[in-house]
C-alpha cells in the first residue's frame, strides 16, 4: 500500500515507522516546506497535521481521488464542508479524535457507563485530559468525544472548560511535558466515586490505529468511523 503522510511531525514519523514495519511504502511526506507532489500516486493519505492546514490537506485528497484518514483535531467547524466534498467526489473519509484501538474501546465503555449512570441522579460527572505542552488545542478532541458520549446518553447538554453550570460537564485540560495522553471520566457522589481512565504510554497506539484504518478504507467509498473499522456494534 502506498501512503501519503500529510504532516511529518512526531506522529507522522511514528506512523511512517509502523507503516514500513507492516510492509507499506511512503510516497509523500508533506510538511510546510514541500508540495503535494506524489499525492496522486498514493493509495491512501494519513493526515496528522495542524488545524490551520487540515482542511487544505483533506480537500486536496478528495480532489486527487485519494481516501483520507484524518487524526488532526481543532478544525471540526469545517467538518460538514469536508463531508459534503467527500460525497461530491465519491471519496472515502475517516476523521477521528483518536485512532488508538484502546481509546476506541474506552469510548464504548464510556457510553455504556453513561447509560447506566443516567439512572442515578446523585452522581455528577467531570473529566480530565492531560497532554504534552506542544498540543495546540484544548480540550483534546478525545475529551470532546468522551463528553459527547456522555451527553448522548444522559441529561447533560454541553461541556465547558470553565466552572460547570447545571447540565454541563466540566473538562479540566492539563498540559505537561512528555505526556502522550491521559483521559479520566469521574462520577462523584457524596458517598463514593466511580472512575474510568485511559493512559497512553507512547504514540504507537495512535499510529497503529491510523495505519489499520488506512488499510481498511482502501477501495471503499463513503464516510466512516472507527466503529466501522473495528466492527463495533453499539
Amino acid at each position: 500500500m502506498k501512503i501519503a503522510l500529510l504532516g511529518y511531525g512526531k506522529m507522522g514519523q511514528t506512523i511512517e515507522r509502523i507503516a514500513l514495519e507492516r510492509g507499506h511504502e511512503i510516497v509523500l511526506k508533506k510538511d510546510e516546506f514541500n508540495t503535494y507532489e506524489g499525492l496522486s500516486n498514493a493509495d491512501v493519505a494519513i493526515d496528522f497535521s495542524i488545524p490551520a492546514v487540515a482542511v487544505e490537506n483533506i480537500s486536496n485528497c478528495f480532489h486527487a481521488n485519494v481516501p483520507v484518514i484524518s487524526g488532526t483535531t481543532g478544525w471540526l467547524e469545517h467538518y460538514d464542508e469536508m463531508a459534503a466534498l467527500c460525497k461530491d467526489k465519491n471519496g472515502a473519509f475517516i476523521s477521528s479524535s483518536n485512532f488508538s484501538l484502546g481509546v476506541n474501546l474506552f469510548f464504548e465503555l464510556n457510553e455504556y457507563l453513561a447509560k447506566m449512570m443516567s439512572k442515578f441522579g446523585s452522581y455528577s460527572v467531570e473529566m480530565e485530559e492531560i497532554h504534552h505542552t506542544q498540543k495546540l488545542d484544548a480540550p483534546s478532541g478525545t475529551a470532546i468525544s468522551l463528553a459527547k458520549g456522555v451527553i448522548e446518553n444522559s441529561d447533560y447538554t454541553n461541556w465547558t472548560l470553565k466552572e460547570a453550570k447545571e447540565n454541563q460537564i466540566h473538562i479540566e485540560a492539563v498540559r505537561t511535558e512528555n505526556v502522550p495522553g491521559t483521559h479520566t471520566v469521574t462520577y462523584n457522589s457524596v458517598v463514593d466515586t466511580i472512575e474510568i481512565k485511559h493512559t497512553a504510554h507512547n504514540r504507537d497506539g495512535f499510529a497503529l490505529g491510523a495505519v489499520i484504518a488506512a488499510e481498511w478504507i482502501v477501495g471503499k467509498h463513503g464516510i466512516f468511523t472507527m466503529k466501522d473499522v473495528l466492527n463495533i456494534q453499539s
Side-chain angles (χ1 to χ4, degrees):
M1 187 172 71
K2 296 179 179 180
I3 300 175
L5 294 179
L6 307 181
Y8 195 60
K10 292 179 180 178
M11 269 301 302
Q13 293 168 36
T14 304
I15 290 170
E16 177 184 32
R17 172 174 57 80
I18 288 179
L20 293 175
E21 289 172 354
R22 294 173 71 87
H24 303 307
E25 178 185 355
I26 307 300
V27 295
L28 172 62
K29 303 173 187 178
K30 177 73 176 71
D31 58 24
E32 60 183 311
F33 303 109
N34 61 2
T35 68
Y36 290 96
E37 184 177 357
L39 176 60
S40 60
N41 297 323
D43 297 310
V44 64
I46 301 177
D47 169 58
F48 271 84
S49 55
I50 58 175
V53 299
V55 171
E56 178 185 347
N57 286 343
I58 296 165
S59 297
N60 274 280
C61 289
F62 293 145
H63 286 292
N65 196 30
V66 176
V68 58
I69 305 297
S70 179
T72 306
T73 57
W75 64 273
L76 290 182
E77 66 272 19
H78 300 289
Y79 179 84
D80 290 344
E81 175 188 345
M82 291 299 96
L85 181 60
C86 178
K87 292 176 181 178
D88 181 62
K89 296 296 183 179
N90 195 29
F93 186 34
I94 298 176
S95 173
S96 178
S97 61
N98 200 310
F99 281 93
S100 161
L101 306 185
V103 166
N104 279 276
L105 296 174
F106 189 65
F107 285 155
E108 295 301 303
L109 176 61
N110 173 61
E111 292 180 14
Y112 185 76
L113 180 59
K115 290 176 185 176
M116 292 178 59
M117 299 304 295
S118 66
K119 303 173 185 177
F120 301 95
S122 58
Y123 288 88
S124 61
V125 64
E126 60 187 27
M127 299 181 181
E128 180 187 69
E129 58 99 342
I130 308 173
H131 280 89
H132 51 85
T133 53
Q134 290 77 39
K135 186 166 181 60
L136 299 179
D137 54 324
S140 67
T142 301
I144 293 173
S145 293
L146 288 166
K148 288 180 177 177
V150 174
I151 290 166
E152 290 169 1
N153 293 283
S154 70
D155 292 331
Y156 285 94
T157 57
N158 207 347
W159 58 267
T160 180
L161 286 170
K162 301 176 182 179
E163 183 178 352
K165 298 179 182 178
E166 187 177 2
N167 294 330
Q168 289 185 331
I169 301 168
H170 177 248
I171 301 176
E172 183 75 16
V174 180
R175 296 293 173 261
T176 304
E177 288 289 344
N178 301 318
V179 177
T182 300
H183 293 85
T184 307
V185 181
T186 303
Y187 288 84
N188 281 312
S189 77
V190 175
V191 297
D192 59 10
T193 296
I194 299 171
E195 181 177 280
I196 57 173
K197 181 177 182 179
H198 179 275
T199 302
H201 301 307
N202 51 53
R203 291 181 174 84
D204 285 21
F206 311 125
L208 175 61
V211 173
I212 288 173
E215 293 168 347
W216 182 89
I217 204 172
V218 170
K220 296 180 173 65
H221 300 277
I223 299 171
F224 306 99
T225 71
M226 283 300 286
K227 288 179 184 285
D228 298 308
V229 176
L230 300 178
N231 194 27
I232 295 174
Q233 305 295 324
S234 295

